């Protein structure tokens, strides 16, 4: 069929929205008409060339739409179902899948992270070439063909542009709190970065009834949003980690800004102890250093921000051992997306999960480059492509 898709022909260059050809679904596959697609840093990284990637490719991995056709042997999803796309379609039979760790499925490394469908088929073509589907979802496109495991049916009365964000940012942020860290109620939590993932770590911590939820960002606008999502304190940092003397701060709601010594500010807010859990949603060597310095004895750092591929952080090893700190990596919510996504939809229906507030800007597909540019200069919330 004839469609339009935003194709990356060369990394570092704008996407080109143009005519393309999409083949119908094969066995175990679905044809989905995309209605909304969130714009995530994991689209920006390959677009800018931070992550090397074979082109041409259609980006987009945070999508929602309507199933228009199903191939043979599809059992779980039906034509006309509304679905949220999952960019980690697990095989269900490998050792990590059997352990219940679907996001670590062996098939993802062999297939999905190489921008291929599990069937191995090339379904998308443009200018006489095969075009790779980013993470097998490629939802900066009118229609996509995805494996059945990449689609999660959702109720038809809910807005698809709000639901799209569940497919990456919301699951990643909330799951880091509930699945990776298993944060207990009453905890004191620091969240570094109040972007798409960070805001969802904050609302995950609020859902788990954390006592203190401290948001740290370099920009004032995301911090204002962080309050809406449940942050009890906001700190505007300077991007420099240090562990100097007292800042003389009281536990007021908004700290004098910018704060130069973030670890000292966190200690003051937490009765001198440091945070029980620190979530680094930025993923730079500097934020990791800040995260470790802000964590209390026996506390944990959860690293969920995707860095550049070549980023190396360092750890002060002696205090890390003596203070029994822990470092946890968390990808895509660390759970089972096919179960976690419906649970998140239920929380949204119950008014306990903010999704509409997460969408601050919408764009038509042919403005996708504006959406990526706005993300690069982000105010924290999500831009969504809407059809
Ligand atoms: Zn598997
Ligand atoms: Zn993403």
């Amino acid at each position: 069929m004839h469609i339009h898709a935003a194709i990356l022909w060369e990394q570092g260059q704008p996407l080109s929205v143009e005519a393309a050809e999409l083949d119908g679904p094969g066995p175990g596959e679905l044809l989905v008409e995309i209605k909304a697609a969130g714009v995530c840093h994991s689209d920006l990284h390959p677009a800018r060339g931070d992550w090397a990637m074979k082109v041409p490719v259609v980006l987009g991995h945070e999508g929602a739409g309507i199933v228009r056709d199903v191939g043979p042997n599809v059992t779980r999803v039906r034509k006309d179902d509304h679905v949220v796309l999952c960019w980690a379609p697990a095989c269900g039979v490998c050792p990590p899948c059997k352990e219940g760790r679907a996001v670590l499925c062996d098939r993802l490394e062999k297939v999905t992270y190489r921008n291929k469908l599990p069937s191995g088929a090339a379904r998308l073509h443009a200018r006489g070439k095969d075009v790779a589907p980013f993470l097998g979802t490629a939802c900066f496109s009118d229609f996509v063909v995805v494996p059945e495991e990449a689609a999660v049916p959702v109720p038809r009365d809910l807005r698809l542009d709000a639901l799209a964000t569940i497919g990456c940012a919301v699951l990643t942020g909330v799951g880091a709190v509930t699945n990776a860290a298993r944060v207990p109620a009453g905890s004191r939590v620091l969240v570094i970065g109040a972007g798409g993932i960070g805001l969802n770590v904050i609302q995950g911590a609020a859902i788990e009834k954390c006592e203190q939820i401290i948001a740290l960002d370099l920009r004032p606008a995301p911090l204002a949003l962080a309050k809406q999502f449940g942050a009890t304190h906001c700190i505007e940092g300077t991007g420099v980690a240090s562990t100097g003397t007292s800042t003389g701060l009281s536990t007021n709601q908004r700290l004098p800004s910018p704060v130069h010594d973030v670890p000292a500010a966190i200690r003051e807010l937490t009765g001198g102890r440091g945070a029980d859990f620190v979530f680094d949603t930025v993923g730079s060597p500097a934020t990791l250093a800040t995260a470790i310095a802000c964590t209390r004895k026996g506390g944990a750092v959860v690293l969920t921000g995707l860095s550049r591929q070549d980023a190396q952080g360092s750890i002060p090893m002696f205090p890390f051992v003596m203070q029994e700190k822990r470092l946890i990596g968390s990808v895509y919510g660390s759970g089972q997306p096919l179960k976690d996504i419906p649970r998140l939809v239920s929380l949204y229906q119950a008014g306990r999960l903010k999704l509409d507030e997460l969408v601050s800007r919408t764009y038509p597909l042919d403005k996708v480059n504006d959406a990526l540019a706005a993300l690069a200069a982000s105010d924290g919330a999500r831009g969504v492509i809407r059809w």
Side-chain angles (χ1 to χ4, degrees):
M1 64 190 294
H2 302 297
I3 63 163
H4 280 86
I7 303 175
L8 181 70
W9 290 96
E10 187 182 343
Q11 289 189 284
Q13 294 297 315
L15 311 188
S16 164
V17 179
E18 59 183 70
E21 276 296 317
L22 184 66
D23 304 335
E29 292 176 343
L30 320 168
L31 174 72
V32 178
E33 181 179 1
I34 299 297
K35 292 293 182 184
V39 182
C40 175
H41 272 97
S42 299
D43 301 306
L44 192 60
H45 284 303
R48 290 199 296 210
D50 301 341
W51 300 345
M53 191 170 287
K54 220 172 123 189
V55 293
V57 62
V58 168
L59 301 175
H61 61 283
E62 188 179 272
I66 301 171
V67 176
R68 294 303 185 195
D69 196 9
V70 297
N73 309 331
V74 169
T75 55
R76 211 175 33 79
V77 182
R78 290 185 201 162
K79 201 174 159 190
D80 298 328
D81 275 355
H82 288 206
V83 292
V84 166
L85 297 185
C86 159
W87 57 254
C91 75
V93 295
C94 71
C97 279
K98 284 190 171 153
E99 241 181 72
R101 305 185 76 177
V103 298
L104 299 183
C105 173
D106 290 344
R107 193 176 72 181
L108 298 176
E109 286 149 30
K110 294 187 195 121
V111 174
T112 306
Y113 298 163
R114 296 178 183 188
N115 301 334
K116 292 178 180 164
L117 293 171
S119 66
R123 304 266 178 233
L124 185 62
H125 323 276
R127 304 188 200 174
K129 288 185 171 173
D130 292 341
V131 179
F134 182 48
L135 295 174
T137 37
C139 51
F140 293 166
S141 176
D142 297 344
F143 289 84
V144 294
V145 169
V146 296
E148 181 181 16
E149 302 82 30
V152 183
V154 293
R156 292 185 192 188
D157 59 335
L158 301 177
R159 279 175 49 191
L160 286 167
D161 54 351
L163 292 182
T165 60
I166 289 186
C168 186
V170 179
L171 180 58
T172 300
V174 176
V177 176
T178 57
N179 294 333
R182 297 170 192 265
V183 172
S187 297
R188 293 164 164 177
V189 167
L190 168 63
V191 184
I192 301 179
I197 309 291
L199 290 173
N200 284 294
V201 171
I202 290 166
Q203 70 169 335
I207 289 167
E208 294 302 318
K209 300 189 165 53
C210 289
E211 182 191 309
Q212 274 185 331
I213 305 169
I214 307 164
L216 170 67
D217 204 289
L218 304 178
R219 307 153 299 170
L223 291 174
L225 264 175
K227 277 273 169 62
Q228 262 191 56
F229 278 75
T232 58
H233 300 76
C234 293
I235 298 179
E236 192 182 328
T238 56
V240 181
S242 67
T243 48
T245 52
S246 164
T247 56
L249 297 170
S250 60
T251 53
N252 55 351
Q253 286 284 293
R254 180 67 189 246
L255 301 174
S257 53
V259 169
H260 293 281
D261 192 336
V262 170
I266 298 304
R267 279 195 300 277
E268 295 210 21
L269 287 172
T270 54
R273 303 202 64 80
D276 301 319
F277 294 89
V278 180
F279 293 85
D280 180 358
T281 74
V282 177
S284 72
T287 53
L288 178 63
T290 301
I292 291 171
C294 292
T295 305
R296 72 157 165 82
K297 276 191 290 190
V301 173
V302 183
L303 186 54
T304 189
L306 276 179
S307 60
R308 290 179 57 94
Q309 277 170 323
D310 56 357
Q312 294 279 332
S314 68
I315 294 173
M317 292 168 67
F318 188 84
F320 199 83
V321 172
M322 291 303 291
Q323 298 177 4
E324 293 202 340
K325 293 186 181 181
R326 290 177 298 139
L327 180 58
I328 299 168
S330 176
V331 64
Y332 205 24
S334 302
Q336 303 187 60
L338 298 194
K339 292 181 181 167
D340 293 338
I341 288 172
R343 194 174 58 86
L344 290 166
V345 172
S346 303
L347 283 169
Y348 172 59
Q349 286 177 301
R352 296 182 59 206
L353 187 77
K354 291 181 169 55
L355 295 182
D356 306 275
E357 296 84 344
L358 206 56
V359 181
S360 64
R361 306 171 297 272
T362 59
Y363 304 84
L365 181 62
D366 58 11
K367 297 285 184 219
V368 64
N369 291 303
D370 294 350
L372 286 165
L375 178 69
S378 175
D379 61 2
R382 264 288 192 259
V384 170
I385 312 285
R386 195 159 62 182
W387 276 256

